[in-house]
Amino acid sequence: MSKEWQNGPTHAGFVLRALERYGDSTAFITGEAVISYRAVRDLIGRIQAAMVRAGVGRGDIVAGLASNRFEAWCAGVACQGLGAASTSLHPLGSHRDHLDQIADSGATVLLLDPIFGDIAGQLHAEAPIRTKLVLGPSSFGVDLIEEAKNSSFSPKDLSSPDDLAIINYTGGTTGHPKGVKRSHRELLAGSIAVLANFQLPKLPVYLAAAPISHAAGLFVAPVIARGGAINLMQGLDPDTFVRRVRASGANMTMLVPSMIYTLLDQKGWSRADLRSLELLLYGASPIAPSRLEEALDRIGPVFCQLYGQTECYLISSLQSVDHRRSRPELLTSAGHPLQDCEVCVLDADGLKAKPGTSGEICVRAPYAMQGYWNQPELTAATIKNGWLYTGDIGWQDDEGRLFIVDRKKEMVISGGFNLYPSELESVLSAHPAIAGVAAIGVPDSRWGEAIKAYVVFRPGRNASLEDLAGWVRSRKGPIYVPKSFEVVDLLPLTPLGKVDKKLLRAPWWSAVDRQIS
């Protein structure tokens, strides 16, 4: 017997109802302009009409390269409402990355933001795609926004809960980026999880400085559902960020740790400038506890950590109440699992690990991925025995909080000891002279592998390598002392703001590969 009456709404339907509910309230702020809920809903309908004329429909996959602009978000809702799926190309990704993702996803439609200029033009010229659309006037492609102006069409939701809605791509820090597929059912469950598990302000004003095409976009639909406003920025400039917070009364934002460091390193603002902030979400990569303490001092007790991954958006959260200076050990925690995410730490034998014992973090959640796009073998290796294996090593304390040790693939086996680079990074980042650190395993003829540390000093500060070695030895013991240090001006970052360890490892392990071959 069919149980259609038990089907929840699609994600597109969820968004369209919220847009209808709040009418003339402000939905988006872009610079000096404000855009109402009614105008956003109308634009989605007009974009759908223009897309249909361009041949976009059910089963299509729309690859989009866009900046933080509301028209791009509207286009994503529009295509999903037509039964098509979207996949976002990262604004900071390389041309090769973009072409690879387009090919891997099988995208049939390309949607480009003309703000990217020659980058968008080159992609338009080279991508082997049937339909190419542009979000505004340009020297190439069909202007979707102009076409939408000539349309009159009430927005429609023609999708079903089980239709493919989105293909997210992993950051590629541990290998080639992988497509992660979700239907409307999983995408909607993710938005509901945000509403259920995070203390959003009563009427949110969300300052979006990180790309909403990626992690920061998780909070757009929930803010819309609350009747709030999204204030869009094109990247993080500290002065502009502080000015926007003051001008708009922004009460929430989401930043990756490298963005928080950039803000902290700018000295021309005080805590009073950010007094409207009630919630500062951070995640995507580990944060140095010493810098988190600095952030708590300068900004206030508004921090909330997210732990998740592309395969399972939201796993746990360290809420603001646990960001306590009286319990500094909690600042190294990823917090409690979300209410709608079941977490289990499994040992090498697949058995549940005792509190305090490390193992692989495994999860179950209604918003976890369906699987990897066109990679059934990898899906089977990742989803097994009723769990999604995250590839992260961690442990839980007696109160259920998660502590992340490191990625399983990051572990270094040196002289028979299992060493986790993140533990070394936490120790070194607390050194008063260090602004940033990354540790990797490199080949070693004696130890098999050895830990190498790349360090960035704070402006005007310095330390000898002997001092750094002594700092580690006194806090973690001799086995964690790096066999080598390298002082660098900057650490390479991926488009998602994580340290690009794959790039750091490449010259060392590619040399080994050449010797073996």
Side-chain angles (χ1 to χ4, degrees):
M1 181 179 176
S2 169
K3 292 188 176 182
E4 291 182 6
W5 66 89
Q6 290 183 322
N7 264 338
T10 67
H11 194 259
F14 170 80
V15 168
L16 290 174
R17 276 191 294 280
L19 292 171
E20 187 172 26
R21 183 181 309 143
Y22 296 109
D24 293 324
S25 299
T26 297
F28 287 93
I29 304 167
T30 58
E32 300 300 319
V34 296
I35 301 94
S36 71
Y37 277 72
R38 193 183 314 280
V40 168
R41 192 173 188 275
D42 177 69
L43 180 59
I44 290 172
R46 291 175 181 272
I47 288 176
Q48 283 185 324
M51 283 183 165
V52 168
R53 286 201 304 273
V56 181
R58 178 174 296 278
D60 276 317
I61 296 172
V62 181
L65 175 63
S67 59
N68 274 8
R69 51 185 299 185
F70 76 94
E71 297 95 336
W73 183 82
C74 289
V77 176
C79 81
Q80 290 173 2
L82 291 174
S86 62
T87 186
S88 293
L89 308 175
H90 201 286
L92 299 179
S94 69
H95 182 63
R96 184 72 262 163
D97 290 340
H98 293 158
L99 289 175
D100 287 347
Q101 183 173 330
I102 287 168
D104 186 75
S105 66
T108 50
V109 181
L110 182 62
L111 184 62
L112 297 168
D113 186 340
I115 196 172
F116 291 100
D118 292 343
I119 293 173
Q122 185 180 4
L123 199 57
H124 183 275
E126 295 184 16
I129 285 187
R130 181 195 77 212
T131 304
K132 299 177 183 180
L133 304 169
V134 185
L135 288 167
S138 70
S139 59
F140 51 87
V142 176
D143 184 346
L144 181 65
I145 303 304
E146 186 62 33
E147 290 291 311
K149 290 178 182 177
N150 302 320
S151 305
S152 180
F153 190 73
S154 296
K156 299 288 191 296
D157 179 21
L158 306 177
S159 62
S160 69
D162 293 319
D163 283 343
L164 180 66
I166 195 166
I167 304 173
N168 299 119
Y169 274 77
T170 61
T173 52
T174 58
H176 195 73
K178 302 175 286 290
V180 169
K181 57 184 181 180
R182 282 183 174 83
S183 70
H184 281 262
R185 196 182 301 280
E186 290 93 48
L187 197 58
L188 176 58
S191 289
I192 292 173
V194 170
L195 291 168
N197 290 279
F198 296 93
Q199 297 172 340
L200 304 188
K202 186 174 181 181
L203 186 64
V205 180
Y206 175 35
L207 183 54
I212 63 170
S213 57
H214 287 73
L218 288 175
F219 300 94
V220 174
V223 167
I224 291 290
R226 284 281 179 87
I230 297 96
N231 192 336
L232 295 170
M233 284 183 65
Q234 304 298 335
L236 179 72
D237 170 73
D239 290 336
T240 304
F241 180 87
V242 172
R243 187 169 61 251
R244 287 280 193 96
V245 170
R246 286 199 306 254
S248 67
N251 51 26
M252 66 174 286
T253 191
M254 190 270 177
L255 303 174
V256 299
S258 60
M259 298 171 84
I260 294 174
Y261 302 161
T262 298
L263 187 61
L264 293 175
D265 291 339
Q266 180 74 19
K267 303 303 181 184
W269 57 272
S270 69
R271 185 165 173 170
D273 292 313
L274 304 181
R275 62 180 176 272
S276 64
L277 279 182
E278 300 175 30
L279 178 64
L280 196 160
L281 300 145
Y282 66 97
S285 65
I287 191 168
S290 60
R291 301 233 71 183
L292 180 54
E293 290 186 19
E294 181 185 351
L296 287 165
D297 286 339
R298 290 197 65 190
I299 299 173
V302 298
F303 286 81
C304 176
Q305 182 190 152
L306 313 174
Y307 162 57
Q309 54 180 204
T310 309
E311 290 86 346
C312 188
Y313 284 147
L314 304 162
I315 296 173
S316 67
S317 172
L318 188 71
Q319 299 283 346
S320 56
V321 69
D322 277 337
H323 284 75
R324 289 180 252 167
R325 300 300 297 272
S326 60
R327 294 191 62 185
E329 74 278 6
L330 295 185
L331 299 185
T332 64
S333 171
H336 289 97
L338 270 59
Q339 293 294 333
D340 38 5
C341 184
E342 186 178 358
V343 172
C344 189
V345 177
L346 300 179
D347 64 19
D349 296 320
L351 302 176
K352 186 175 181 179
K354 295 178 181 179
T357 303
S358 293
E360 184 166 356
I361 298 169
C362 300
V363 298
R364 294 171 174 153
Y367 43 80
M369 70 171 183
Q370 289 187 343
Y372 292 112
W373 180 252
N374 290 335
Q375 297 198 58
E377 292 182 1
L378 184 58
T379 298
T382 305
I383 302 175
K384 53 190 177 182
N385 305 320
W387 294 96
L388 189 156
Y389 283 64
T390 67
D392 288 337
I393 302 298
W395 55 277
Q396 289 182 282
D397 65 13
D398 291 331
E399 296 176 333
R401 292 185 190 85
L402 269 174
F403 291 77
I404 312 302
V405 177
D406 215 330
R407 289 290 296 170
K408 191 174 182 179
K409 292 182 180 179
E410 299 283 349
M411 185 179 74
V412 176
I413 302 176
S414 183
F417 290 99
N418 293 348
L419 307 178
Y420 293 97
S422 64
E423 295 190 5
L424 172 63
E425 290 162 356
S426 293
V427 170
L428 281 172
S429 66
H431 191 285
I434 289 181
V437 60
I440 63 169
V442 299
D444 188 276
S445 58
R446 180 179 179 185
W447 305 106
E449 283 185 276
I451 287 189
K452 180 180 180 67
Y454 293 86
V455 297
V456 179
F457 287 126
R458 293 176 185 258
R461 304 294 295 270
N462 211 327
S464 69
L465 301 186
E466 291 78 11
D467 174 44
L468 297 181
W471 179 274
V472 174
R473 184 177 292 106
S474 66
R475 288 159 175 80
K476 287 292 291 181
I479 65 169
Y480 264 95
V481 175
K483 296 295 188 288
S484 62
F485 290 89
E486 186 169 333
V487 178
V488 295
D489 294 328
L490 291 171
L491 294 172
L493 300 179
T494 71
L496 297 181
K498 302 179 182 181
V499 174
D500 193 340
K501 291 192 175 181
K502 186 170 66 173
L503 189 62
L504 291 176
R505 282 192 292 264
W508 300 97
W509 291 103
S510 60
V512 170
D513 292 341
R514 286 194 298 271
Q515 290 172 8
I516 293 174
S517 60

